[in-house]
Amino acid sequence: MILEFSRFEFKYVLHKKLREAVESELGYFMQLDPFVEEAEHNRYIVRSLYFDDPFNTAFFDKIDGLKKRSKFRVRTYAREKQAATPIFLEQKGRYDNRVFKHRVLMTESSSTFDDKNLTEMLLTEQSNESVLEKFRFEWFRKQIRPVALIDYLRRPYFSKYDHEFRVTFDEKLTGTETSELFPGISKTGVQLLPGYTVMEVKFGHKVPGWFHRILQSYELERVPLSKICEGMKRLNLAADI
């Protein structure tokens, strides 16, 4: 199974009171994603193991604001490995002003996955999906390797009037220096942006007028934030100089 999309993504960093006020306003126009209606606090865990090369090219491409860039990550939605835990390989990047993502589910390997065979899974999965082919090309050509794990809790909403317009609130961000997707208690993460929430706005064509009025009312300004870049800086894996 493969998922592909191209859209705009804007990010805003909100302190607690501002987040609560904005989220309350959204309730008039948006509703929770059904996926989290029964979840604790209407949130789910997002876990991503990011890759970069020895020169931290993906990190600096983002810091330098390149209009054409991409990175690879392995993503899941659990803190611990279970039999039914889905595991995805994703390539995410930017082309001009739009964000694109290509994702493939590692179907045959997920049930037997452990971190010891992560590399083997990615390099030998029996699939001709372009995401895997591109990953393998960069593994050998650029020597990309896993550098850090980013975790956070996400609460997702979608518009009552346009399901392509989505807003997510990501909180309790942590970064861990590891090459494992499930490092367990052997690795301790560090907090990223403590006390703040990252609000991501995702849409295909334009921001609806009602949301634009919310942005103006609370004087919200977009930020060029990357969770993995924040993590790498906080973990002293790379420096923004």
Side-chain angles (χ1 to χ4, degrees):
M1 180 181 72
I2 190 165
L3 169 69
E4 299 186 8
F5 67 72
S6 173
R7 66 189 181 194
F8 295 97
E9 291 188 1
F10 295 167
K11 295 179 182 177
Y12 305 83
V13 177
L14 314 179
H15 59 71
K16 185 176 186 294
K17 289 186 178 180
L18 182 56
R19 179 257 174 90
E20 291 174 349
V22 171
E23 191 170 9
S24 177
E25 293 270 8
L26 292 183
Y28 295 105
F29 307 96
M30 307 191 78
Q31 60 192 38
L32 284 169
D33 188 315
F35 180 75
V36 297
E37 286 183 347
E38 302 299 324
E40 184 178 5
H41 303 302
N42 305 121
R43 303 178 303 188
Y44 62 90
I45 177 71
V46 180
R47 167 164 289 192
S48 302
L49 181 64
Y50 286 86
F51 292 73
D52 210 336
D53 64 25
F55 304 102
N56 294 327
T57 298
F59 173 88
F60 287 111
D61 282 354
K62 168 60 180 178
I63 295 298
D64 293 340
L66 267 63
K67 292 294 186 180
K68 185 178 180 180
R69 61 180 187 267
S70 69
K71 57 180 174 283
F72 284 95
R73 65 193 181 197
V74 173
R75 170 161 287 189
T76 190
Y77 301 95
R79 294 188 188 275
E80 298 179 356
K81 176 67 180 72
Q82 299 175 353
T85 302
I87 298 171
F88 301 90
L89 173 66
E90 298 182 345
Q91 180 189 26
K92 186 174 183 182
R94 177 177 293 274
Y95 190 85
D96 290 333
N97 293 318
R98 296 184 72 91
V99 170
F100 69 84
K101 182 164 75 173
H102 307 300
R103 162 194 268 199
V104 61
L105 175 64
M106 310 301 290
T107 50
E108 296 184 7
S109 301
S110 295
S111 61
T112 59
F113 170 84
D114 64 63
D115 283 302
K116 294 180 180 178
N117 66 17
L118 172 61
T119 301
E120 181 181 357
M121 177 185 75
L122 294 170
L123 298 180
T124 63
E125 176 87 357
Q126 296 300 308
S127 172
N128 60 357
E129 299 288 4
S130 62
V131 182
L132 281 162
E133 292 179 349
K134 292 175 182 176
F135 174 85
R136 291 163 185 167
F137 177 78
E138 295 210 2
W139 178 275
F140 292 108
R141 180 177 178 271
K142 297 177 60 177
Q143 298 185 342
I144 61 171
R145 298 294 186 271
V147 292
L149 189 71
I150 303 296
D151 286 339
Y152 51 89
L153 295 173
R154 166 166 287 179
R155 181 179 294 160
Y157 292 86
F158 63 84
S159 171
K160 297 176 182 178
Y161 313 105
D162 176 8
H163 285 194
E164 288 189 358
F165 181 75
R166 303 178 65 86
V167 175
T168 58
F169 292 91
D170 299 337
E171 58 186 322
K172 299 187 181 301
L173 280 73
T174 62
T176 306
E177 182 180 0
T178 180
S179 61
E180 301 177 357
L181 187 60
F182 300 104
I185 61 174
S186 63
K187 294 283 188 177
T188 301
V190 297
Q191 291 187 21
L192 310 177
L193 305 174
Y196 288 84
T197 295
V198 178
M199 181 178 75
E200 295 191 6
V201 181
K202 308 168 186 185
F203 57 98
H205 301 287
K206 64 179 181 179
V207 173
W210 60 262
F211 187 77
H212 188 67
R213 289 191 290 273
I214 291 176
L215 294 178
Q216 291 180 320
S217 176
Y218 291 96
E219 300 180 344
L220 301 182
E221 296 185 3
R222 291 167 53 190
V223 294
L225 178 78
S226 164
K227 297 183 181 76
I228 181 56
C229 287
E230 289 297 314
M232 291 178 69
K233 287 187 288 186
R234 184 71 175 81
L235 294 165
N236 297 316
L237 298 175
D240 179 8
I241 56 175

